[in-house]
Amino acid sequence: MFKLWATIIKDFHILTRDRVGLTLMFVMPILLVVIITSIQASTFDLVNDNKVPLLLCNKDKGEASVQLVQAIRKIGMFALTEVPATLDEKQLADQMTDKDALLAITIPGDFSTKIKEKAKNISDRALNDFGLSEQAAKAKPDAMEPLALYYHPVLQESYRASIQGALRSALQLVESKQILQTLYFAINEKQLPAALENDIINDQVAINEIPVSKDGSRRIPNATQHNIPAWTIFGMFFIVISLGSNIVREKLSGSFVRLKTLPTNYLVALFSKQVIYLGVSMAQVVVIFSIGVWLFPLIGLPKLNLPSDLFGLLVVSLICGWCAVSYAICVGVFAQTQEQANGFGAVSIVILAAIGGILVPSFAMPASFQWLMKLSPLHWGLESYYKLFLEGGQLGDGLMNILPLLGITLLIQLIAISALKQKNLI
């Protein structure tokens, strides 16, 4: 026990002198958490709260185009600015640049006429099918000129799809209203009452969004709940910069050879390093989670809601930290120089984070990457955290994620010890 305690003190002094490594292990994940969470929170605000600038070039002055403009305003996601109807495509593009607008839409000049023709045709066909009209259904009218939607290239395809869906809803509302008014007038020979029109078109069934969670809390996940666990794991694995270099430095300086002449085993020193750096990883968890709980609300970011199972949170954090330490030791054992340890360690962590769901959500990955994702320990650690933070689960609910992470950790330990034996270092 005395040998272990002395080795722990020695490793602690070495760690405190590695200022660059400590900076990477603490400052880097903190900056990532704050910056990435801020970016995602502002993105969510853009989708949910802020309005997207939209230029409207209305070349039609009929009733249907007025209704369409009103429907677009009611959507609530656009900051609508009307521009002269005489603008051509190039002039409209210049207006988008001048006004910093991401979108522009052009309503063709025959929009109202074509909408009414379409409504009349559908109404006649419906009355003919119901047997309420003896007139033969007229031929389908010519297709109307489509609305032109111009967009800035910065808008991604998924976001454009949501915008187009919102505009289609507004267009469908106008078409449905015209068909309903035409059909009602054909049957009753009077205008559709406004109250009845409102009940038919606007009185829709509500959709209640309910997040699924084990504890039944129904807390709505936010950018903080997603990012803090993810980048905490990322920061844990960057222990490889300090610990990997430490092991390489001991190999190059001859410390391994000197340790073999002493009445002790290098496994004691190896265990000491794991204790010290596991403590560092737990300190990372405490610091980053504390920032989410206390600092984020002060800078306008969503607060981190800790899971109800704090013991489960501790167990998952310990296993994630132990896996990160084991990986760092394995890299240090195989690396021949500090440059190799630092370079390979940093790049490999980024790759493991990318395929593990840290950089890109796992559900968004192609099917060919699904099996590769399961090889990354960061994936299993992230899923274990998400089971607690997002789903409100307990420790037992995440065993199917914790056990693979523990298995990968033991495998890495076995590989590192086998390599040390082959090199006659233990």
Side-chain angles (χ1 to χ4, degrees):
M1 182 60 69
F2 173 76
K3 296 177 182 178
L4 176 61
W5 179 247
T7 309
I8 290 175
I9 294 176
K10 182 263 296 182
D11 286 330
F12 178 77
H13 287 308
I14 293 176
L15 173 65
T16 54
R17 289 196 294 267
D18 186 10
R19 297 180 180 178
V20 175
L22 286 173
T23 301
L24 285 173
M25 287 186 288
F26 283 92
V27 177
M28 185 269 297
I30 290 173
L31 289 176
L32 282 173
V33 165
V34 174
I35 293 173
I36 300 298
T37 305
S38 300
I39 293 173
Q40 285 198 0
S42 63
T43 303
F44 293 156
D45 289 340
L46 175 63
V47 176
N48 299 323
D49 299 329
N50 297 341
K51 295 185 178 181
V52 182
L54 171 65
L55 301 185
L56 176 68
C57 182
N58 187 4
K59 299 181 181 297
D60 177 78
K61 299 304 179 183
E63 178 185 359
S65 63
V66 175
Q67 293 177 352
L68 178 60
V69 173
Q70 293 175 349
I72 293 175
R73 292 186 187 277
K74 288 182 179 179
I75 292 174
M77 66 181 299
F78 302 111
L80 204 60
T81 302
E82 297 194 35
V83 295
T86 56
L87 296 182
D88 57 22
E89 184 174 330
K90 185 180 184 307
Q91 292 172 330
L92 188 59
D94 293 338
Q95 285 285 317
M96 291 177 64
T97 303
D98 295 339
K99 298 181 180 296
D100 293 329
L102 299 176
L103 296 164
I105 187 171
T106 299
I107 301 176
D110 61 347
F111 179 77
S112 294
T113 302
K114 291 295 184 181
I115 285 289
K116 289 182 179 180
E117 289 180 1
K118 180 179 179 180
K120 183 68 168 60
N121 181 265
I122 293 176
S123 175
D124 290 343
R125 287 164 55 192
L127 292 174
N128 190 50
D129 290 341
F130 294 157
L132 300 177
S133 176
E134 297 180 355
Q135 296 180 0
K138 296 181 180 179
K140 188 176 181 180
D142 296 335
M144 63 182 295
E145 183 181 350
L147 278 68
L149 177 64
Y150 304 91
Y151 63 90
H152 195 285
V154 73
L155 290 178
Q156 296 181 352
E157 184 177 356
S158 59
Y159 193 47
R160 296 201 311 269
S162 64
I163 291 172
Q164 190 172 122
L167 294 175
R168 285 187 182 276
S169 298
L171 186 59
Q172 185 65 44
L173 179 64
V174 174
E175 293 180 353
S176 300
K177 183 180 293 188
Q178 289 289 332
I179 293 172
L180 185 60
Q181 290 174 347
T182 304
L183 189 60
Y184 188 89
F185 183 82
I187 296 175
N188 299 281
E189 296 185 351
K190 60 181 180 180
Q191 296 297 327
L192 176 66
L196 180 58
E197 178 184 313
N198 181 70
D199 291 340
I200 295 175
I201 295 180
N202 298 324
D203 191 9
Q204 298 178 339
V205 177
I207 299 176
N208 188 18
E209 295 184 1
I210 303 174
V212 177
S213 60
K214 293 284 186 179
D215 58 3
S217 61
R218 294 189 177 182
R219 290 180 298 190
I220 299 177
N222 51 49
T224 300
Q225 300 292 106
H226 283 273
N227 281 288
I228 283 192
W231 296 108
T232 299
I233 297 174
F234 189 73
M236 284 182 184
F237 274 82
F238 256 86
I239 284 177
V240 68
I241 300 297
S242 178
L243 180 52
S245 298
N246 187 353
I247 293 176
V248 172
R249 191 162 49 246
E250 289 184 349
K251 289 194 300 182
L252 296 178
S253 64
S255 297
F256 278 31
V257 177
R258 289 195 296 272
L259 283 171
K260 291 180 68 175
T261 64
L262 299 176
T264 185
N265 193 306
Y266 185 70
L267 289 178
V268 175
L270 208 60
F271 183 71
S272 168
K273 295 181 189 299
Q274 295 191 47
V275 171
I276 288 294
Y277 282 90
L278 184 58
V280 171
S281 66
M282 291 302 99
Q284 288 177 308
V285 172
V286 171
V287 170
I288 298 175
F289 283 13
S290 298
I291 288 175
V293 173
W294 303 107
L295 178 62
F296 273 21
L298 299 179
I299 60 177
L301 294 175
K303 177 183 177 182
L304 176 68
N305 297 314
L306 294 177
S308 57
D309 187 3
L310 295 180
F311 177 74
L313 178 62
L314 175 62
V315 172
V316 171
S317 300
L318 284 171
I319 297 177
C320 287
W322 188 29
C323 186
V325 172
S326 302
Y327 183 78
I329 290 175
C330 191
V331 170
V333 168
F334 282 96
Q336 300 299 321
T337 63
Q338 293 187 46
E339 289 77 12
Q340 288 181 4
N342 293 340
F344 175 81
V347 173
S348 63
I349 294 304
V350 173
I351 293 175
L352 290 173
I355 66 175
I358 302 290
L359 304 181
V360 179
S362 57
F363 64 83
M365 291 186 180
S368 58
F369 272 75
Q370 294 298 319
W371 67 271
L372 190 62
M373 176 179 61
K374 296 179 181 179
L375 300 178
S376 172
L378 283 80
H379 164 72
W380 297 110
L382 183 62
E383 291 298 318
S384 300
Y385 270 133
Y386 279 176
K387 185 68 69 173
L388 299 174
F389 278 93
L390 301 182
E391 300 181 26
Q394 303 294 313
L395 178 61
D397 298 321
L399 282 179
M400 297 308 296
N401 297 317
I402 296 173
L403 292 179
L405 179 62
L406 190 58
I408 292 174
T409 304
L410 295 176
L411 178 62
I412 294 173
Q413 289 269 344
L414 181 61
I415 292 173
I417 293 175
S418 300
L420 287 172
K421 287 184 176 180
Q422 289 180 357
K423 296 180 180 182
N424 295 320
L425 296 176
I426 58 174

